[in-house]
Amino acid sequence: MLKKILGTILCAAMCVAALSGCAGSGKKKVGISMPTKDLQRWNQDGDYMKQKFEAAGYEVDLQYAGNKADTQLSQVENMINSGCKVLVIAAIESSSLGTALDKAAAKKIPVIAYDRLLMDNENVSYYATFDNYKVGTIQGEFVKKALDLDNAAGPFNIEFTAGDPGDNNAGFFFKGAMDVLKGYIDSGKLVVQSGEKEFEKVATAEWSTANAQSRAENIINANYADKQIDAWLCSNDSTAQGVVNALDSRYAMKDKWPVVTGQDCDIVSVKNMLAGKQTMSVFKDTRTLAERTVTMVGQILDNKTVETNNTYNNNKKEVPSYLCEPVFADINNYKQILIDSGYYKEDQLK
Ligand code: BGC
């Protein structure tokens, strides 16, 4: 009998702790939902945020969803049920978390869309990201300058590899780059031999290196047996790595290596940059975004004005947003940007 009473008391205490979100520690709990551990950047984003939130006195529930939208949905629902006071979500599919967002709203749990905007739902409180359109324009401008499109006679051959269609960012990156390069395609100075220049045609499911590689191999086989490729605009590093693998294995004119763009400054891609196989990447300092997010959460939970510098429309509302600045990195400035800033140690790039 005594055992039963003690059991009931213990159970009740655990329920209260879970509901209060403090798990007995008195700390507010933040739920962080990241898409995948497969890409270096999300591991860094998750690690930095965990560190910074814990240093600021929060408890953290950090989950990775293996790039599976249904796993992410149930992880976020668990965070809601286990007493998280605020959610930070980098969505796998921008529109697939609606039911969880509604549940969060019913419990008055604010939601921050992290890096990727949560679409088609009004229960998104804030968006913390880098300027996604600008990432694309930086890539486009890099190609424009590298090929000297305004002065050189051309024509030049270019191909495009974009990101996952379910990720709202992917369209922004592609549009940013296309807005810089489209005029040159229209005038014939840039030629897309594959004919594939619409986002739907050049998109890469799951941003996967393997998917990008197999499409690039097909394009090279079909169009570039005896033609030079001058540029390959890739929206990020994981896709650029696939294109570089395809060039390595299928491209005959290795002495005329194309300009290859990327984004993230993943270690593999920086190594490719040092080896002359990827020409540039866009650096988005994940430490900056993590810090911004911690600041935002503090301002929300302390009922202070939340600092924003933009808005993004998610088809249901204008989401107040904070956009951090991306910068380009190449072989000439990587030391200053990546090493001197302490982002990487020199020997990680060997
Ligand atoms: C991020 C990129 C990343 C890509 C693939 C995008 O939403 O903004 O930094 O390379 O997802 O994970």
Side-chain angles (χ1 to χ4, degrees):
M1 184 62 180
L2 182 64
K3 224 169 150 188
K4 205 170 162 194
I5 294 171
L6 281 175
T8 313
I9 293 172
L10 186 65
C11 179
M14 281 167 68
C15 289
V16 169
L19 282 174
S20 71
C22 57
S25 65
K27 294 178 177 173
K28 286 181 181 156
K29 187 158 73 169
V30 180
I32 304 177
S33 170
M34 291 283 115
T36 174
K37 275 191 160 277
D38 289 352
L39 252 74
Q40 185 194 321
R41 76 151 290 184
W42 302 114
N43 293 285
Q44 273 170 348
D45 286 281
D47 287 350
Y48 283 136
M49 268 194 287
K50 189 167 175 352
Q51 266 174 36
K52 305 257 179 236
F53 273 119
E54 286 177 351
Y58 297 93
E59 188 187 335
V60 171
D61 181 1
L62 168 62
Q63 305 280 340
Y64 290 84
N67 250 342
K68 301 258 179 314
D70 51 351
T71 305
Q72 185 164 44
L73 180 62
S74 67
Q75 287 177 341
V76 172
E77 286 180 341
N78 282 340
M79 289 173 183
I80 295 168
N81 294 333
S82 70
C84 288
K85 294 294 177 217
V86 61
L87 298 173
V88 177
I89 303 173
I92 294 162
E93 280 173 19
S94 306
S95 304
S96 67
L97 293 169
T99 52
L101 300 182
D102 293 344
K103 283 180 190 162
K107 291 194 168 190
K108 301 206 170 5
I109 300 172
V111 174
I112 297 178
Y114 182 86
D115 192 86
R116 299 173 170 176
L117 186 55
L118 292 154
M119 300 297 289
D120 304 314
N121 189 291
E122 64 205 355
N123 300 313
V124 183
S125 320
Y126 295 96
Y127 180 33
T129 190
F130 284 86
D131 187 335
N132 296 308
Y133 180 81
K134 188 163 180 192
V135 169
T137 62
I138 291 174
Q139 294 166 334
E141 291 289 347
F142 190 94
V143 169
K144 177 176 152 182
K145 194 165 166 214
L147 300 182
D148 196 12
L149 290 178
D150 284 335
N151 301 305
F156 299 102
N157 292 325
I158 186 168
E159 296 293 334
F160 291 85
T161 295
D164 186 302
D167 174 358
N168 188 57
N169 287 353
F172 278 97
F173 301 144
F174 183 70
K175 184 163 177 4
M178 243 332 167
D179 283 354
V180 177
L181 299 176
K182 190 169 179 308
Y184 300 100
I185 297 176
D186 292 345
S187 72
K189 192 164 278 189
L190 284 176
V191 181
V192 184
Q193 297 287 347
S194 70
E196 299 191 345
K197 33 191 169 187
E198 285 78 38
F199 176 74
E200 297 68 32
K201 291 261 171 60
V202 304
T204 309
E206 293 183 13
W207 293 95
S208 135
T209 298
N211 291 342
Q213 179 171 346
S214 71
R215 176 171 167 270
E217 285 174 352
N218 292 338
I219 288 176
I220 295 167
N221 289 345
N223 303 281
Y224 293 100
D226 54 1
K227 283 195 191 79
Q228 184 176 331
I229 311 171
D230 298 295
W232 205 305
L233 191 300
C234 302
S235 287
N236 86 329
D237 283 353
S238 60
T239 54
Q241 287 157 26
V243 167
V244 163
N245 293 344
L247 289 166
D248 258 335
S249 66
R250 303 294 162 101
Y251 184 49
M253 300 186 186
K254 297 233 172 3
D255 54 327
K256 302 199 166 78
W257 198 266
V259 173
V260 178
T261 67
Q263 163 185 198
D264 290 338
C265 289
D266 280 0
I267 288 179
V268 174
S269 281
V270 179
K271 284 182 179 170
N272 280 347
M273 230 152 66
L274 299 181
K277 293 184 171 179
Q278 183 173 322
T279 324
M280 64 85 80
S281 189
V282 177
F283 180 51
K284 303 194 302 188
D285 193 331
T286 44
R287 296 170 299 188
T288 311
L289 191 57
E291 267 162 33
R292 172 51 48 189
T293 308
V294 176
T295 303
M296 243 183 195
V297 166
Q299 290 168 339
I300 295 171
L301 295 180
D302 294 345
N303 282 322
K304 294 199 175 128
T305 306
V306 178
E307 213 181 319
T308 57
N309 59 12
N310 215 306
T311 59
Y312 261 63
N313 190 297
N314 81 342
N315 297 333
K316 290 284 178 193
K317 74 184 269 200
E318 290 292 329
V319 183
S321 306
Y322 195 101
L323 270 52
C324 302
E325 278 292 299
V327 291
F328 87 89
D330 68 2
I331 193 146
N332 299 313
N333 70 1
Y334 83 95
K335 275 205 168 126
Q336 180 200 347
I337 289 188
L338 301 173
I339 311 284
D340 297 352
S341 76
Y343 199 72
Y344 292 137
K345 298 210 165 43
E346 189 97 60
D347 59 2
Q348 286 178 281
L349 305 178
K350 287 194 178 126

